[in-house]
Amino acid sequence: MANNSVFEQVRLRYEPDNIYIQTIASILEAAERLKLPHRLQLILSQPKNELIVHLPVRMDDGEWRIFKGYRVQHNNVLGPYKGGIRYHPEVNLDHVKALAAVMTMKCALVGLPFGGAKGGVTVDPRKLSTDEVMRLTRRFTSAMGTNIGPEYDIPAPDMGTTAQMMAWIADTYINLHDPHKRLTGEGVVTGKPLEFGGSHGREKATGQGLCYVLEEMLPGMGFDLTDLTFSLIGYGNVGSWTGRLMCQRGATLKAVMDHTGGVVNERGLDADALAKHVDATGGVRGFKGGDVIGETEFYQLPVDVFIPAALEQMIDENKAKLLKCKVLAEAANAPTTPAGERVLLDRGIAVLPATLCNAGGVTVSYFEWKQNRQAETWDLEVVDAQLKKIMVSAARRVLETARKLEVDMRLAAHCTALEHLGNVYNLRGIFP
Ligand code: NAD
């Protein structure tokens, strides 16, 4: 349980089902373990800035709708704020605050010169036309105004947002700001299309980073990526790249579940064919290369590694009791509730935390931002080699901290990140 005096001072009430409270409680637990100063715990327990905007958007039929948008900037002691923008009907302030705090920890863990932020709009983008999404995205960008910028806060794609939407954000920002900074203005956002300031390897980066982490960590747990079975929740950007890249290394993808249904093949699903099917139809339902599987059977399917790559909070206590895996690798942000994690750890299932597992996305975003600043384009081989170096080094530091402090991987990842943040706060001091 988190440090009560911090919660009291910042007027947070402990609500076990609230994702923001869960996230901060877990960070504070690590801070207590490291005996970080109280002032630092206070700072990390609340975001620096919370922006809420209301966006009037004209629909194709001439009607107007108003959408709610958020940008939360959690911490910027290491550098400009950085974090994705999500379009999803369930987006709310506490959700965005939690994900912003996770970004602070993630950037600190892998050693990027960025702080943590997150944004979102409460909307189901699947229900809007392309033109409506464009108008919404441009309006959201203008509403964020000078609260975003290549030196200040740099958004990226997340659930429900795409490279095309990042291009609209960059274009809107460039048109609204200093005409003499058109080139560096591109760096206001990452995850852009390759033709317009994007980076090779950004699209697959999160899945690629996870593969590097698994290659580094699994052998110590008695597995090898070339010879294991796994299942996935979610077959969007993160899930489908993770599936394809792990299968390329020899692993067997037994089952996938997404918002449209579940599909299973004991001999292994064809990950490439499934990705094409999802692109064409919007989900895994109807895929001919496997059989239909129900939700409970999906969770109960024996696999070596189980990878949630969809929404937060999906692995609660009840789901955790069903799982028959040896390792759960979090590709989504915060997919496991604290109660779910306790069940998994008690059952001897290792949990590899999102702060480490999905940090590949923000790492290649950092490469994209660097390329934009230097007007360069790196080859894919360069991107992959640099990504591997960063992910392997972070995985080793987490393993070492877990051994040294005798803690689980999530606490070890938090402690590794906090050590870095604490050092920088000591060096910089707190203004004024
Ligand atoms: P996406 O929109 O491309 O895909 C989301 C997937 O989740 C889809 O397959 C969808 O069917 C599935 N899904 C949605 N609701 C579901 C439900 N109720 N049950 C089962 N499946 C459901 O999003 P993404 O970019 O792949 O992001 C997935 C997760 O990874 C999110 O938690 C995101 O924050 C995290 N993440 C993404 C990146 C990135 O680079 N895209 C980086 C780091 C972390």
Side-chain angles (χ1 to χ4, degrees), residues 168-377:
W168 290 327
I169 292 177
D171 181 71
T172 308
Y173 181 86
I174 289 167
N175 275 291
L176 290 177
H177 292 84
D178 188 346
H180 296 101
K181 292 189 178 160
R182 291 182 78 85
L183 186 61
T184 48
E186 238 175 54
V188 65
V189 74
T190 57
K192 298 181 291 293
L194 202 50
E195 301 85 339
F196 175 41
S199 175
H200 285 290
R202 175 60 186 91
E203 207 198 315
K204 65 166 181 149
T206 308
Q208 183 72 74
L210 176 57
C211 283
Y212 292 144
V213 168
L214 293 177
E215 274 171 347
E216 187 60 28
M217 294 189 116
L218 291 184
M221 300 172 177
F223 306 101
D224 200 303
L225 207 51
T226 58
D227 179 29
L228 57 74
T229 57
F230 69 111
S231 56
L232 275 163
I233 313 182
Y235 215 68
N237 173 294
V238 179
S240 73
W241 278 109
T242 301
R244 282 174 278 179
L245 293 166
M246 284 181 67
C247 287
Q248 278 171 22
R249 283 162 170 75
T252 305
L253 175 57
K254 275 194 165 183
V256 177
M257 186 182 78
D258 74 359
H259 71 288
T260 65
V263 57
V264 63
N265 188 334
E266 280 290 341
R267 283 173 287 115
L269 293 161
D270 179 336
D272 288 318
L274 183 57
K276 285 194 188 105
H277 174 83
V278 171
D279 268 352
T281 67
V284 303
R285 188 169 57 192
F287 181 60
K288 296 278 184 285
D291 301 317
V292 173
I293 186 169
E295 193 181 342
T296 305
E297 294 72 37
F298 170 82
Y299 281 104
Q300 286 175 326
L301 192 73
V303 284
D304 296 317
V305 182
F306 183 86
I307 306 177
L311 300 175
E312 289 77 27
Q313 309 275 281
M314 292 189 84
I315 314 301
D316 58 14
E317 213 173 338
N318 294 329
K319 299 288 171 16
K321 285 179 187 156
L322 298 177
L323 287 180
K324 290 190 180 135
C325 60
K326 291 156 195 146
V327 176
L328 182 143
E330 294 184 338
N333 284 310
T336 317
T337 67
E341 184 166 14
R342 263 192 305 280
V343 171
L344 293 171
L345 295 177
D346 286 349
R347 294 184 53 217
I349 297 171
V351 179
L352 306 183
T355 35
L356 173 65
C357 288
N358 70 23
V362 69
T363 303
V364 177
S365 274
Y366 164 59
F367 299 159
E368 178 177 331
W369 178 76
K370 250 176 113 165
Q371 290 169 73
N372 291 163
R373 286 170 80 81
Q374 295 158 354
E376 279 185 5
T377 306

Side-chain angles (χ1 to χ4, degrees), residues 3-73:
N3 184 327
N4 279 325
S5 78
V6 173
F7 269 57
E8 271 164 31
Q9 249 180 296
V10 296
R11 293 171 186 270
L12 282 176
R13 209 156 39 83
Y14 189 80
E15 300 163 43
D17 294 331
N18 177 312
I19 186 170
Y20 181 62
I21 301 294
Q22 290 174 6
T23 306
I24 295 305
S26 160
I27 293 172
L28 292 182
E29 189 185 347
E32 278 289 293
R33 181 72 68 137
L34 292 178
K35 302 201 179 357
L36 284 192
H38 186 68
R39 60 178 182 277
L40 187 48
Q41 300 195 29
L42 281 176
I43 289 172
L44 292 173
S45 68
Q46 291 285 44
K48 282 210 169 170
N49 305 310
E50 300 171 24
L51 177 70
I52 301 181
V53 291
H54 294 96
L55 314 164
V57 178
R58 188 171 42 79
M59 299 288 105
D60 291 343
D61 63 4
E63 291 294 313
W64 288 81
R65 280 179 63 189
I66 193 122
F67 296 91
K68 205 184 247 300
Y70 304 88
R71 186 71 184 167
V72 172
Q73 297 162 336

Side-chain angles (χ1 to χ4, degrees), residues 389-409:
K389 204 166 135 198
I390 288 180
M391 297 307 291
V392 167
S393 154
R396 285 185 186 157
R397 274 180 282 125
V398 171
L399 280 172
E400 199 184 309
T401 307
R403 263 194 297 270
K404 201 169 70 187
L405 301 181
E406 294 179 350
V407 294
D408 61 60
M409 295 295 177

